[in-house]
Amino acid sequence: MTSMVSEKIGYLSESKLFQDFTPEEMREMEQRTTMRTCPPGRVFYRAGDPGETLYILKEGIVHLYRLAPDGRKLIVATLGKGTIFGEMALIGQGMHNTFAEAATDARICIMSRTEVEYLLLNKPQMALRMLAIIGERLRQTEEQLEQIAFGSVSSRLANRLLELGGHSRTVEGYTHQELAEMIGTYRETVTATLNDFKAQGLIAIGRKHIEILDRPALEALAVTG
């Protein structure tokens, strides 16, 4: 039991929300949260569901997405370790406007609406951090909408590969379908565009593996399209 408690406190301490909490407050947080491990494909909530829970992602990848009337999916955010989700429905909206689904095995900590409201009222610095997180996610969504509205498929895909790769030369674990859902196009279009990038010597392609060979050229393409 002690090791599990220490493990959970260690996970929570990594979140920006709890940066300045004292050891005593962190022990209290351990009592206020539940930890779960979820398989790929687990849907945490659907658009239109009431928002009663805040999720803190400690391991794995979670996609936030919307569905078009014809069933096509648009991934609006790809979340990794240390991020939170479910916050928008807790603060004002009341209902979720996206789906949230585990893309890989995921380990999460869960807080109820009651616990979140208690903390926001009693820890103003946590409320400010949550606002900062919401603001950053809104900025990223606006940038994505701008790219979809004004950027070519080549530009959008180059941007997304650079974002997913980060400082690494590789992009791991994403299918062509998932990449298509991230940039608002069709799988066949992504496959054709990746093959064009490969022919130009920008990338090498493997199964769920893309290696960036010419980052400057890919960055130029991301800007110019």
Side-chain angles (χ1 to χ4, degrees):
M1 175 65 71
T2 301
S3 62
M4 178 58 72
V5 170
S6 300
E7 180 185 19
K8 188 189 292 187
I9 290 177
Y11 279 144
L12 291 171
S13 298
E14 295 174 0
S15 173
K16 292 181 181 179
L17 285 179
F18 312 118
Q19 279 181 352
D20 60 353
F21 279 40
T22 66
E24 181 179 351
E25 288 173 327
M26 290 307 300
R27 285 191 291 272
E28 182 181 358
M29 285 303 306
E30 189 281 328
Q31 299 297 322
R32 292 177 177 272
T33 59
T34 302
M35 185 180 291
R36 293 181 184 171
T37 300
C38 304
R42 165 69 184 274
V43 176
F44 299 102
Y45 54 76
R46 293 172 169 80
D49 285 350
E52 298 296 336
T53 306
L54 178 71
Y55 301 89
I56 306 166
L57 179 59
K58 307 316 299 178
E59 294 176 359
I61 295 173
V62 168
H63 287 159
L64 305 184
Y65 62 89
R66 296 193 181 195
L67 289 179
D70 63 2
R72 284 188 297 126
K73 182 189 298 185
L74 175 64
I75 296 175
V76 298
T78 299
L79 309 180
K81 178 179 178 181
T83 55
I84 66 172
F85 59 102
E87 76 286 349
M88 291 301 291
L90 291 178
I91 304 176
Q93 290 187 196
M95 307 289 281
H96 292 290
N97 57 14
T98 62
F99 294 74
E101 182 177 335
T104 65
D105 288 324
R107 198 158 199 193
I108 58 172
C109 290
I110 301 171
M111 294 179 63
S112 70
R113 172 187 284 272
T114 301
E115 302 297 351
V116 172
E117 289 176 347
Y118 170 83
L119 285 170
L120 292 178
L121 290 172
N122 290 277
K123 298 287 287 187
Q125 60 271 47
M126 179 179 167
L128 290 174
R129 291 199 187 98
M130 186 171 288
L131 285 175
I133 291 169
I134 292 171
E136 175 61 18
R137 190 160 297 160
L138 178 61
R139 183 192 65 80
Q140 293 172 353
T141 301
E142 289 176 341
E143 286 183 355
Q144 182 182 9
L145 290 174
E146 182 180 359
Q147 290 175 9
I148 291 174
F150 303 119
S152 66
V153 170
S154 296
S155 174
R156 284 157 28 209
L157 184 56
N159 262 303
R160 187 47 58 102
L161 292 178
L162 291 167
E163 290 173 2
L164 294 174
H167 298 296
S168 171
R169 286 171 52 89
T170 60
V171 177
E172 298 275 6
Y174 297 95
T175 65
H176 291 190
Q177 180 65 39
E178 288 172 323
L179 292 173
E181 290 164 355
M182 290 178 189
I183 66 171
T185 189
Y186 295 96
R187 179 189 59 78
E188 295 82 0
T189 305
V190 163
T191 298
T193 306
L194 288 174
N195 286 333
D196 287 343
F197 288 177
K198 179 181 177 181
Q200 297 173 50
L202 305 182
I203 62 172
I205 304 174
R207 180 175 175 80
K208 288 191 176 183
H209 174 96
I210 297 172
E211 184 176 0
I212 298 173
L213 302 178
D214 191 341
R215 179 177 290 272
L218 202 62
E219 289 172 343
L221 185 59
V223 173
T224 64

